[in-house]
């Protein structure tokens, strides 16, 4: 049958693309074994505006503000500013009682990027701050965060991403999977890129941006659902890189249920594809940069096409199944098992996922036994991203919806459980 050679060619091509993609990222794995680079300690000098966009976060905002006001950093060099938006609870009152300043947005807010844009525009009219640090309301922040970001800022970093940890890694299988995911991003992406002088990735919270960078670009301007990835891409396009600052540690509350996870990751995937549509052509066609800057653009482009590659994986499986069915129907392979290849592929990827998860947990010195449910469920967590990414391909935009945060826990309790 004439269709069979074409199917074989399509399967070979799609498989080759997937393999080359994995090989590219695998080349960085040896750098994950190296310890993180340390920034030289500097005297406190940077004046920080610490920003927290908050929507119905009354239950957790107080604990965050408490950790921010307890920083090992001169109190006169930073302000904690909470930006309540679209709230139906007393987020603003809880933040004020905890000791934070409260700034209201003068215009409607659809997503976090809108809140940051409006408040940063107001702050840029002053000459009071040298950099902003951004957190989510459910975070808890290590006392050394601002001191570590001051070290990076004093060294000339236009932006920096801190270490994103979890405050509830053992609450459920989903929160365990999220924790492993963020540990992987920390170790296998941001830390490895730092060793080869590429950009870390801003991943939502616990990051710093210098006011000089913001003024050069007219403020904070993001248009996608993933303002963090969009900002990272803007830095790379400008020839800058986001510095990796692992000593600046943040503890984040992870979703507990698969439904919450599905909704959040749908937003991530839609936003990632929005970034690819908006910035992909510029990452490809702008040849004004050379050497490491071109490498940085290629690296970011490959990061942004991840949803497309996962969708391609699903297409490859479907084509393989169709090829097997046709071969059996036309007696080209009467003894072949149509389920053998997909089952073998699934088993191999499960083993690889478990090995990778265990390796990252060991490298990050996290408790392995208590993370067993996350390790065993991580393959399902990753595979569930395939239908999410297929959905995102046909969904150009989504309404941003907040995930409720209710894990009111203090920093000392998190550190005691580690």
């Amino acid at each position: 049958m004439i269709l069979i050679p074409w199917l074989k060619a399509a399967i070979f091509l799609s498989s080759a693309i997937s393999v080359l993609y994995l090989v590219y990222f695998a080349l960085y794995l040896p750098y994950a074994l190296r310890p993180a680079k340390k920034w030289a300690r500097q005297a406190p000098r940077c004046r920080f505006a610490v920003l927290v966009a908050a929507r119905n976060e009354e239950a957790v905002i107080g604990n965050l503000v408490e950790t921010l006001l307890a920083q090992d950093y001169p109190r006169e060099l930073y302000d904690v500013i909470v930006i309540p938006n679209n709230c139906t609870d007393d987020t603003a009152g809880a933040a004020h009682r905890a000791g934070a300043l409260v700034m209201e947005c003068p215009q409607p807010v659809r997503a976090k990027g809108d809140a940051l844009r409006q408040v940063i525009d107001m702050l840029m009219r002053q000459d009071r701050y040298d950099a902003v640090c951004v957190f989510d309301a459910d975070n808890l922040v290590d006392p050394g965060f601002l001191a570590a970001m001051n070290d990076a800022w004093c060294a000339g970093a236009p932006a920096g991403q801190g270490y994103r940890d979890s405050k509830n890694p053992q609450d459920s299988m989903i929160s365990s999977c999220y924790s492993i995911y963020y540990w992987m991003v920390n170790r296998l992406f941001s830390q490895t890129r730092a060793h080869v002088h590429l950009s870390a990735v801003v991943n939502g919270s616990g990051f710093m941006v210098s006011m000089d960078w913001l003024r050069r670009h007219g403020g904070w301007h993001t248009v996608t659902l993933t303002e963090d990835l969009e900002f990272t891409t803007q830095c790379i396009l400008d020839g800058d890189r986001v510095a990796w600052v692992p000593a600046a540690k943040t503890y984040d509350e992870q979703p507990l249920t698969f439904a919450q996870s599905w909704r959040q990751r749908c937003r991530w995937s839609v936003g990632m594809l929005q970034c690819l549509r908006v910035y992909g052509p510029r990452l490809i066609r702008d040849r004004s940069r050379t050497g490491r800057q071109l490498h940085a653009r290629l690296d970011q482009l490959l990061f942004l096409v991840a949803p497309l590659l996962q969708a391609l994986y699903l297409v490859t499986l479907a084509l393989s199944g169709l090829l097997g069915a046709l071969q059996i129907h036309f007696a080209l392979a009467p003894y072949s098992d149509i389920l053998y290849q997909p089952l073998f592929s699934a088993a191999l990827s499960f083993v690889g996922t478990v090995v990778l998860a265990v390796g990252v947990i060991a490298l990050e010195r996290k408790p392995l036994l208590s993370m067993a449910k996350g390790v065993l469920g991580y393959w399902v967590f990753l595979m569930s991203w395939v239908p999410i990414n297929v959905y995102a391909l046909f969904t150009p935009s989504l309404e941003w919806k907040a995930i409720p945060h209710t894990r009111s826990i203090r920093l000392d309790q998190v550190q005691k459980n580690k």
Side-chain angles (χ1 to χ4, degrees), residues 341-360:
Q341 186 170 345
L343 287 177
F344 178 77
S345 176
L348 191 63
S349 63
F350 175 79
V351 172
T353 299
V354 168
V355 170
L356 197 59
V358 170
V360 167

Side-chain angles (χ1 to χ4, degrees), residues 239-387:
D240 295 320
R241 66 187 181 98
V242 178
W244 173 233
V245 192
K249 186 171 292 188
T250 301
Y251 298 91
D252 188 47
E253 181 179 338
Q254 309 305 339
L256 299 178
T257 68
F258 187 80
Q260 291 174 337
S261 171
W262 180 276
R263 187 166 69 247
Q264 183 182 62
R265 289 185 291 146
C266 281
R267 175 170 59 84
W268 289 355
S269 290
V270 170
M272 210 169 189
L273 290 171
Q274 288 174 342
C275 280
L276 183 62
R277 284 193 292 269
V278 173
Y279 297 98
R282 290 179 58 192
L283 288 169
I284 294 171
R285 71 170 178 259
D286 191 343
R287 301 297 180 186
S288 61
R289 311 289 180 177
T290 59
R292 186 173 292 134
Q293 292 176 344
L294 283 177
H295 185 187
R297 292 181 179 213
L298 171 64
D299 193 62
Q300 185 67 3
L301 181 65
L302 292 178
F303 185 83
L304 293 177
V305 300
L308 298 181
L309 266 293
Q310 286 199 343
L312 183 65
Y313 171 76
L314 189 63
V315 170
T316 304
L317 288 181
L319 292 176
S320 298
L322 177 60
L323 177 62
L326 289 174
Q327 287 177 327
I328 291 173
H329 179 73
F330 288 95
L332 297 175
Y335 302 109
S336 67
D337 184 352
I338 193 173
L339 296 178
Y340 173 77
Q341 186 170 345
L343 287 177
F344 178 77
S345 176
L348 191 63
S349 63
F350 175 79
V351 172
T353 299
V354 168
V355 170
L356 197 59
V358 170
V360 167
I361 290 172
L363 287 171
E364 297 300 292
R365 298 183 179 181
K366 305 297 182 181
L368 179 58
L369 289 179
S370 61
M371 294 299 297
K373 57 189 175 185
V375 171
L376 295 176
Y378 196 58
W379 181 83
V380 176
F381 179 78
L382 291 182
M383 288 300 104
S384 67
W385 234 312
V386 176

Side-chain angles (χ1 to χ4, degrees), residues 46-50 129-133 153 208-211 214:
C46 185
R47 299 169 298 170
F48 290 107
V50 180
Y129 304 108
D130 301 307
V132 300
C133 287
W153 180 85
M208 176 272 293
V209 189
S210 75
M211 290 299 289
L214 291 167

Side-chain angles (χ1 to χ4, degrees), residues 87-195:
C87 293
T88 57
D89 66 0
D90 192 27
T91 295
H96 179 72
R97 289 189 294 273
L101 303 176
V102 175
M103 291 185 70
E104 301 283 350
C105 292
Q107 300 172 0
V109 172
R110 293 182 306 107
K112 179 178 172 181
D114 295 336
L116 293 178
R117 173 181 56 79
Q118 294 180 48
V119 169
I120 287 173
D121 281 348
M122 289 186 279
L123 296 179
M124 284 173 56
R125 301 187 192 116
Q126 311 169 14
D127 188 24
R128 186 170 179 175
Y129 304 108
D130 301 307
V132 300
C133 287
V134 179
F135 298 95
D136 288 336
D138 58 293
N139 294 161
L140 297 172
V141 184
D142 185 82
F145 187 96
L146 290 182
M149 284 301 180
N150 174 73
D151 296 339
W153 180 85
C154 288
Q161 173 63 51
Y163 187 100
R164 190 167 180 176
D165 209 336
S166 297
K167 69 180 186 182
N168 61 330
Q170 301 164 22
D171 280 3
S172 72
M173 187 187 76
I174 292 298
S175 70
S176 293
C177 288
Y178 265 90
S179 301
I180 295 170
Y181 171 75
Y182 281 120
W183 295 335
M184 283 190 176
V185 172
N186 291 334
R187 172 69 69 154
L188 303 184
F189 194 91
S190 290
Q191 185 161 316
T192 61
R193 295 323 187 261
H195 281 299

